[in-house]
């Protein structure tokens, strides 16, 4: 779809599936539908006013429920984003995605896209066929953010429910509400409404051109283990026996580990597995040597990254050949 307003920014919309492309048999249904059914042309066709905001170049990269996202598809997506952004005739990218793993894809791209141009992910909590579907307005707002000069050099952004979030900070916080995405530590970066975009704070941590990480289809295997009342070491032992390169612990509170896990972590590190302590709490950072003796265990702390984002960073850092002595500095930086 191309508009005749040749002075407007040219934005590539890359569709990957999700509820934004979901279809239910009944308009009153907001669960039990099939995600990733409708093609990108249908999504764009629901928002005629897009042609007043940008000239659109559309591509269907995938049609999946984002629960099934894979490192191989991340590599396909990131490679395509980097190729499009290298073109002079593309001013920014919008990616439509499922909400379930959006925060993981967004953070991965934040660290592996090599451009100053805007990359904006968006999604929907209600399928396209629902009464009061949220996808069309989220898509219009995402294209508006991607077309804005203010969005350059901000890294990868998430435009959702009129808010603009940093890929590093944002997380899904509701199973059903249309304001599902929040940035618990710093809050949203800004807002988008009726064609206006305003940023109220800047992104501080390095990303995109200032990130050394490269996309690869062959990321090292990193798994996540949760600590909870009565946890056993069985999962850690099984993952280590399966040959994982890294483990992220979703610890209690300040990343604390059930004593049954602590011994298993020490043994995993001795066997060359990188272990990162994060928290299952959903907000706040994990203090080094705070709730567990990292110096003695050989573990790394995740700063304020949730377990899923800590896994993304650990995979990229291990793929880059980062020495174990340098991993803490990577987590303190990115
Ligand atoms: C998905 O993540 O693809 C399904 C759920 C959603 O998009 O809200």
């Amino acid at each position: 779809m191309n508009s005749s307003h040749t002075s407007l920014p040219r934005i590539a919309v890359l569709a990957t599936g999700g509820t934004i492309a979901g279809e239910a048999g009944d308009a009153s249904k907001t669960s039990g539908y099939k995600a990733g059914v409708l093609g990108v042309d249908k999504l764009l066709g629901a928002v005629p006013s897009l042609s007043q905001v940008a000239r659109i170049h559309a591509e269907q990269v995938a049609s999946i429920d984002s629960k099934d996202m894979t490192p191989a598809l991340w590599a396909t997506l990131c490679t395509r984003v980097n190729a499009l952004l290298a073109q002079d005739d593309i001013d920014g990218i919008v990616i439509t995605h499922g909400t379930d793993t959006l925060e993981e894809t967004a953070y991965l791209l934040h660290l592996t896209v090599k451009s100053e141009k805007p990359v904006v992910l968006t999604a929907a909590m209600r399928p396209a066929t629902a009464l009061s579907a949220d996808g069309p307005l989220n898509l219009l707002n995402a294209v508006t953010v991607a077309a804005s000069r203010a969005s350059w050099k901000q890294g990868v952004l998430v435009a959702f429910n009129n808010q603009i979030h940093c890929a590093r900070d944002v997380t899904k916080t509701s199973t059903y509400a249309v304001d599902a995405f929040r940035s618990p530590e710093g809050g949203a970066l800004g807002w988008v409404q009726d064609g206006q975009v305003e940023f109220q704070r800047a992104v501080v941590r390095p990303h995109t051109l200032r990130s050394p990480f490269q996309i690869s289809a062959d990321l090292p295997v990193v798994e996540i283990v949760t600590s909870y009342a009565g946890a056993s070491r069985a999962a850690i032992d099984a993952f280590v026996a399966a040959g994982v390169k890294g483990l992220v612990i979703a610890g209690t509170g300040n990343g604390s580990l059930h004593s049954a896990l602590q011994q298993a972590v020490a043994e995993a590190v001795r066997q060359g597995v990188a272990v990162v302590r994060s928290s299952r709490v959903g907000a706040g950072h994990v203090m080094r040597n705070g709730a567990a003796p990292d110096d003695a265990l050989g573990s790394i702390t995740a700063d304020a990254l949730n377990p899923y984002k800590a896994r993304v960073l650990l995979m990229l850092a291990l793929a880059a050949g980062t020495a174990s002595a340098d991993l803490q500095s990577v987590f303190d930086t990115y």
Side-chain angles (χ1 to χ4, degrees), residues 16-21 33 35-36 64-68 97-102 123-126 160 172 175 181:
T16 68
T19 292
I20 193 167
Y33 55 87
I64 62 160
D65 183 320
S66 79
K67 71 182 174 56
D68 295 324
H97 199 287
T99 59
D100 287 350
T101 59
L102 181 146
M125 290 299 287
R126 296 175 180 156
F160 204 89
K172 184 174 177 179
T175 57
F181 284 85

